[in-house]
Each structure stands twice: as C-alpha cells, then as structure tokens.
Amino acid sequence: MDTLVMDKTIAQKINDLLGRMSLDQKIGQMTQTERLAITPKEVKEYHIGSVLSGGGSVPGDNQPADWIKMNDEYWAASMEEDEQHLAIPIIYGVDAIHGHNNVLGATIFPHNIGLGAANDPELIERIAKATAREILSTGVEWTFAPTLAVARNNHWGRTYESYAESPEIVQSYAGRFVKGLQNSLGRDSVVACVKHWVGDGGTSYGVDQGDTEISDDEMSEIHISPYYPALAEGVLTVMVSFNSWNGKKCHGNKYLLTEVLKEELEFEGFIISDWDGIDYIDEDYSETVARGINAGIDMFMVSEKWREFIAHAKNHVLSGRVSMERIDDAVKRILYVKLMYGLFDRPRPAERYWSKNPDFGTSHNRAIAREAVRKSLVLLKNENDILPLSKNARIIVAGKNADNRGYQCGGFTIAWQGITDDNESADSDNKGGPIIMDYNSSSAQIQKGSIVGGTSIWEGIKAVAPNATLNLNGTAADPNLHDVGIVVIGETPYAEGMGDIRDGDYQIEETSEKIEGFLKVLAPYGHSTVLNELHPEDLRTIQHITDKGIPAIVVLVSGRTLIIKKELELSSAFVAAWLPGSEGQGIADVLFGDYDFQGKLSFTWQKHRDENYIKGDSPYEPLFPYGYGLSYNG
Ligand code: BGC
C-alpha cells in the first residue's frame, strides 16, 4: 500500500499488528456478515472484521439499548485476546441513509431527492451531524452513507436515494455530508461510506443493478466527480456498486477499484463490496471470490455464506491465485480505518459517551428534519395564489398518503421496503400496502408497526388548522362544509430493484445480454411512470373533492418525478413533497404561510411517459425544467 500517506505512528501500529496476524486472522478481518448469520463467539473464532444490519434487521425490541447491547457483545468477543486470536475491535455497519432509519424512535430525515431540492449544503452538514449522534446513541460506529448516485432515469427504484440528476448538487453535498458524519474523527464521529462506486445512477432504462453504457468522459464528469469532495474530506470507506460499466461488473473491475480509486484518486481507506455483490460476477463462487479480491475489494459484505467466502479466499492465497500482497493491502486498509477512527482507543460500546448521553429522536434533531422538509418542498402550481391557506379555513384533508408516516418515510425505514403505519384508517381505498420482504427469505426479519415519533402530514395540518377534518377517500367532501381540500397522494414505499418501473421485460433481457455475469432481478413497483396508472385511486380521491366544486391543493409524496397530467389539471395548487420522513409538520409550516417555498427541482419533470429529458439536453422540453419552483414572494 505504497500509495498510502499516513501518520507514522498509525503506520507502525498497522505493521506491528499485521506482523502478528495469521492468514486466518487477515481473511477474517476482510469478512463482514449480517448479524443474523453470526454469533459473538463466531466473531472471535473466525476473527471477523465487521458485522452489519441489513435493512430492517434489528436486535431485540429495536430500542437503542438493544442495539448497544448487541454491538457490545460483538465488540467484547472481538477484543478477547488469546493465542489464537488477536484483539482487533469489530466495526458495526448500518444503512443510516435518512437518519438512523432502522431504529424505532429515530428522527427520519427526508430522502435524498428532497434534500437535493433544498439545495442547502450547510443544512446537509447539520443533518449528517445529527444522524451521527443518533447512530452513536445506539453504540454503532459506521453508516453506509451518503449515496452519491446521480440518477439519470426516474424508472430506477433508487432515484430517491439520489440528490440530483446532474452532478453539481451532489458534489456540493458530498464533502459536507462526510464532514458532518466523520466530524474530525472525534467523539461525535461515525465512519462514512460513499456509495455506490460507480455509475449506479446511470444504468440504461434505469434498471437497478443494470448496465451503465457511457463513455469514459461521461463516467468521470457525471458519476465520478461527486466523489472528489468526499475523498478530499477523508471519507474512510467506499462501497462498490452492483451495476456494470459497459458490460463489466464494478465488483470485478480492477481498473475502477484499484487503478482509478486507489491509485489515481489516492483513496486511503477500504473498499467494501455491496451485499453479496461479488456473487453476480461468476457462476462459480470460488472464482467470484478470487476475482473480487484481485479487483481490489478489501472487505466483503457476505450476508450468510461467510464460511465459504473465508475458505475460498484462503485456498486462493495458498494456491497463489491471490497474492499475499493483495491480502496485506486489504488488511492494512481495514486497520487504517479502525485506527484512524480511534476504534482501538474507544471503550466498549456500552461505555461510550453517546451511549450514556443519548441524542436520539430528540426535539433538536427533529427540528432539523422539519426544517429540511420545509426547504425540500417544491411548489409546481399555485392558481390565483390559493396558497398560502388561512389557518381558519374549513379544510377536508384526503388521500391515502395524508395520515401514514410509513408512506411519507418511504423505503429503508424500519424495514428494508419500508412500512405502512399500523394506524392506517380503514376507509382508505388504496391498492394495498407496500411489499415487505428481504433479499433472502432465510434471513428475513420483517418489522411491522408504526413510525415512533414525528407527525403525519395530516397531524401537522390538524395542529395548526382547527377546522380541518380527515376523510381519506374524500367522499365526505361537501361545499357547504369545506372551503378547500388538501389531497395527499403518491407512491407507497419501496426500495432498490423493487422500486423499478418497467413496461416490459425487454429492458431486463437486453441488460442480461450485455453484461458479463448475472443480473439480479426483483419484481418491479409498476409498469408505468404515469401516476394515474400506478395509483388510480389518487385521481378518484381528487375528483371526489373537485367534482363538488371544492378546490384541491394536491401534495405528492413520491420518490421520483411521475407523469401527473390529470392530477395537475384538476388541482388548484400542486406541491412535490418527495419522501419527507417523520416530520410531516414541515408541510403545514409552508402550506399555511409560516414559511415560504424555497425548494427547486433537482430532477427534470417529464411531460410524457416516453421522455427522459435531463438538464443540459437539447432539445429540452419537459413539463417543468430542472431548477423550477414557485414561491410566495416571487
Ligand atoms: C444496498 C446498499 C446497502 C446494503 C446493505 C444493498 O442491497 O445496495 O446500498 O448499503 O444493501 O444493507
């Protein structure tokens, strides 16, 4: 690892540890597995370097104390020293991608698409700092965030994890988010992980894990450029992307991982694979392990079959297929991160500062999230200045997304695919709840229930407008009783490939033919980006109100821009609220004029289903261009 420039004492510590480690210990450090697949005892026995929680995989009753206890046990096992085992503290990783979103009672911030519309780097750093403290309050030290994807096609189910379709905003956020999380690597820091390296947002047709068919120049200007500020800020880990680049899987791509990231860009930390990401390189698992290690991956996220991974890796070293230098490079990098973060000097998780002085789901953090909600809202239409509304207006609040904190939080909240609130009212005529599943049924741990804390959009309205009433399907609309309707419509939660929109199978067939290796395909969210085809019940709800001559303010909860022709025509005002998270009150703050709208589209709003205009295209004839957004004061 000659490219690494580091503190002399850290270098000495690394060399000292490395000199005392057996091959088993080294390969163990390179292994990360899911909490459900490993016990603390096995962590010690196999010298495991890291454990993670997949989306929705949570200990005990999913309270901060349960998390602290769990990580404390893994940590203690990793630190027991004897002749077979050298004490090296484990690092525990989670997807805290919009707040510490797996944990009950956490502050859930808007998903990245909303934060992109806010275009406020200073706010981003505060969000990252608050998120870091919530993570630390559960005894955890590493998050797989921020996502630096530049999503180029709204059919992609992960569009909401992207700040913008164009790299500028992503660049301006990347360093600030890393800075807020890693916080000078002091007491208040967690280890950040930028992902997914690289080109995740550029796949053809927006197919999740698909093929990004672009030139070198485009790759570097659009998808690699957001990583520069994160690297400059000293981000300690980078996650590899599931996608391929011109047919070649990133997970087996030595050029992208070693030559570009480690050598050219002088990345000093470690590279982690995505969830079983090497599995799709080749049919033969042994082959896949060799190619992943030789491409430059340092730590392997292996959800379950970590024993096989370890056995293959060891065989490859013994047979010479994988060099000892490569293993040492990987282990040095892992030790570098653990030492830089001060993990060896931190007490056990239960004894750490924030475990004892939790800052979790607090009003301070929720206030930051509420501010983020306000700033993320984009006003697309405001006929005759119907907004802001008077707090005394007689309002009928309708729509399946009006009183469901699960829906407004979206995917990666409590469960991988998100949740639907338990208290969802029975008179809602939605098409059914979100699909909740794990990648692999044997490791599935489904979380049901509600978002704890925060307010639904309806609760936020009710808190300031005493004459507002809730009627989810809008059939109670009555011009004698209601001056105006607020109809909150939109998508139900999804994550990753299960959020994809595909109108047929040809996108998958084409992609599979082009890539070397395999494509993991999940059932898509729908077959059309036309909102009225995805959620016809939403249009009916609006009509129940407008048919009676009552004007409708439409608030759209969604993880992407959708074709909204009919809904927009019927509305008097239209607000894109993205996936605002737990603090629904932020929406009432703006609808009633306590604050002005300031969000601007960071994604182009398409007019027709078959279009995919992106900022900078020529011609460029979308419904609303990138940067669009109305406000009360001009
Ligand atoms: C996702 C990553 C995530 C990982 C761990 C993967 O499926 O692509 O973004 O960090 O799972 O949960």
Side-chain angles (χ1 to χ4, degrees), residues 52 54 95 144 158 195-196 239 242 274-275 301 439 496:
L52 89 148
D95 287 305
F144 309 124
R158 306 190 81 158
K195 67 188 189 183
H196 307 83
M239 188 185 291
F242 280 126
D274 201 346
W275 179 280
M301 189 188 288
Y439 300 90
E496 302 191 40

Side-chain angles (χ1 to χ4, degrees), residues 42 202 220 278 283 318 405 411 491 503 515 634:
E42 288 165 333
S220 105
I278 57 167
E283 233 167 312
L318 297 177
R405 281 174 288 172
E491 294 181 317
D503 60 7
I515 59 169

Side-chain angles (χ1 to χ4, degrees), residues 615-631:
K615 176 184 179 241
D617 282 352
S618 165
Y620 183 65
E621 289 156 5
L623 182 63
F624 299 110
Y626 180 99
Y628 185 83
L630 305 170
S631 62

